[in-house]
């Protein structure tokens, strides 16, 4: 949501796709996800630029090997810097730019869920030590983000400014924002008759949690 508020054209494009695929009278469900290609690209670009777990769990080599010109003796402890791999300028053009379109164009074949063979994007890690919750995690992120974008228009609270918008992250096992993100969500769906009647109550700004 932090990147999206900085890139309103991405929100607009996602909402156009959601309106076309899901429609304004219901929320996003798991079965919609295969058709929401732009939403998938947003999630991939978010995982690329802000991997929730930026360093893989430690591994230890079971035998001596050689990689990238380095000799790695048996029992070498290895930690993959997923954050750095995701921003490799030899792989991604302008790697620090948030640009979901790259996953619909040049990098559309990238499969962040494969665990093997697709090493440009590994938000769930890789190999046998890969995140065992990857399917649940990936699905929840898509459904929650899809519904946030489908159900609400988003803006900064009154008096908020994009200037100096804080994107500082705090490093731990899981990375998060240093300061809370405060956004205003304005309902944009007509879910049912009751909601339609209630809608008048919600047209004033409601601050998100
Ligand atoms: C967006 C959501 C999630 C992300 C980005 C994520 C990412 C990761 C990453 C990068 C690792 C390290 C993998 C490696 O070193 O190769 C990991 C490990 C792990 N994850 Fe997740 N994860 C997510 C959700 C979940 C969920 C929903 C569960 C459980 C229901 C889960 C359970 C675990 C466990 C138990 C490990 C340790 C596996 C081991 O030590 O072998 N994760 N996760």
């Amino acid at each position: 949501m932090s990147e999206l508020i900085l890139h309103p054209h991405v929100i607009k494009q996602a909402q156009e796709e959601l309106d076309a695929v899901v429609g304004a009278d219901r929320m996003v469900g798991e079965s919609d996800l295969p058709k929401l290609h732009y939403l998938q690209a947003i999630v991939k670009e978010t995982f690329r630029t802000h991997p929730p777990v930026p360093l893989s769990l430690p591994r230890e080599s079971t035998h001596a090997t050689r990689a990238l010109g380095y000799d790695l003796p048996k029992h070498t402890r290895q930690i993959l810097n997923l954050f750095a791999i995701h921003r490799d300028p030899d792989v991604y053009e302008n790697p620090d730019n948030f640009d979901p379109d790259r996953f619909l164009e040049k990098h559309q074949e990238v499969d962040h869920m494969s665990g093997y063979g697709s090493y440009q994007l590994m938000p769930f890690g890789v190999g046998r030590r890969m995140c065992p919750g990857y399917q649940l995690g990936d699905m929840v992120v898509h459904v929650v983000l899809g519904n946030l974008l489908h159900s609400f228009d988003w803006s900064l609270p009154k008096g908020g400014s994009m200037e100096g918008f804080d994107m500082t992250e705090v490093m731990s096992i899981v990375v998060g924002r240093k300061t809370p993100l405060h956004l205003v969500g304005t309902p944009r769906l007509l879910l049912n008759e009751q909601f339609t009647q209630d809608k008048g109550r919600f047209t004033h700004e409601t601050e998100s949690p």
Side-chain angles (χ1 to χ4, degrees):
M1 291 303 291
S2 305
E3 285 288 4
L4 295 184
I5 204 72
L6 289 171
H7 299 89
H9 68 281
V10 176
I11 296 187
K12 189 167 175 287
Q13 200 169 326
Q15 288 178 333
E16 282 169 11
E17 180 182 64
L18 288 158
D19 289 345
V21 172
V22 180
D25 57 348
R26 67 176 179 88
M27 290 175 71
V28 183
E30 198 182 337
S31 59
D32 297 310
L33 300 181
K35 286 175 255 159
L36 294 169
H37 302 290
Y38 193 64
L39 179 69
Q40 291 176 34
I42 293 174
V43 173
K44 278 187 182 173
E45 184 66 342
T46 305
F47 279 152
R48 186 186 72 79
T49 47
H50 306 278
V53 184
L55 300 176
S56 79
L57 295 172
R59 287 144 166 85
E60 195 181 275
S61 55
T62 51
H63 56 267
T65 188
R66 198 174 160 76
L68 300 174
Y70 293 93
D71 288 318
L72 305 176
K74 190 175 174 177
H75 299 313
T76 302
R77 180 162 290 197
Q78 299 155 21
I79 295 173
L80 302 179
N81 186 340
L82 303 176
F83 179 93
I85 291 169
H86 290 178
R87 293 190 186 226
D88 183 348
D90 290 341
V91 176
Y92 294 107
E93 210 170 299
N94 301 319
D96 294 334
N97 289 2
F98 183 84
D99 175 18
D101 283 314
R102 68 173 87 239
F103 289 111
L104 297 175
E105 295 160 5
K106 191 171 169 199
H107 298 284
Q108 62 171 307
E109 299 308 325
V110 169
D111 176 8
H112 66 296
M113 305 277 278
S114 81
Y116 292 92
S118 189
Y119 302 125
Q120 307 96 319
L121 187 62
M122 302 180 278
F124 296 101
V126 66
R128 283 186 291 172
R129 202 70 197 282
M130 180 182 179
C131 173
Y134 72 103
Q135 283 169 321
L136 176 63
D138 193 66
M139 186 271 288
V140 169
V141 170
H142 280 86
V143 171
V144 170
L145 181 64
N147 278 307
L148 286 176
L149 298 181
H150 194 40
S151 305
F152 300 96
D153 287 317
W154 293 98
S155 57
L156 291 180
K158 271 203 185 86
S161 156
M162 287 298 179
E163 212 151 298
F165 185 78
D166 188 11
M167 288 292 279
T168 312
E169 295 179 332
V170 180
M171 174 68 190
S172 176
I173 294 177
V174 175
V175 162
R177 287 181 56 84
K178 185 174 179 196
T179 52
L181 177 67
H182 291 289
L183 298 179
V184 174
T186 309
R188 64 186 290 276
L189 279 194
L190 299 177
L191 284 179
N192 54 40
E193 217 174 292
Q194 184 58 46
F195 187 88
T196 312
Q197 284 167 14
D198 286 350
K199 194 163 185 275
R201 293 200 287 122
F202 291 111
T203 45
H204 61 279
E205 288 188 344
T206 316
E207 197 151 321
S208 67

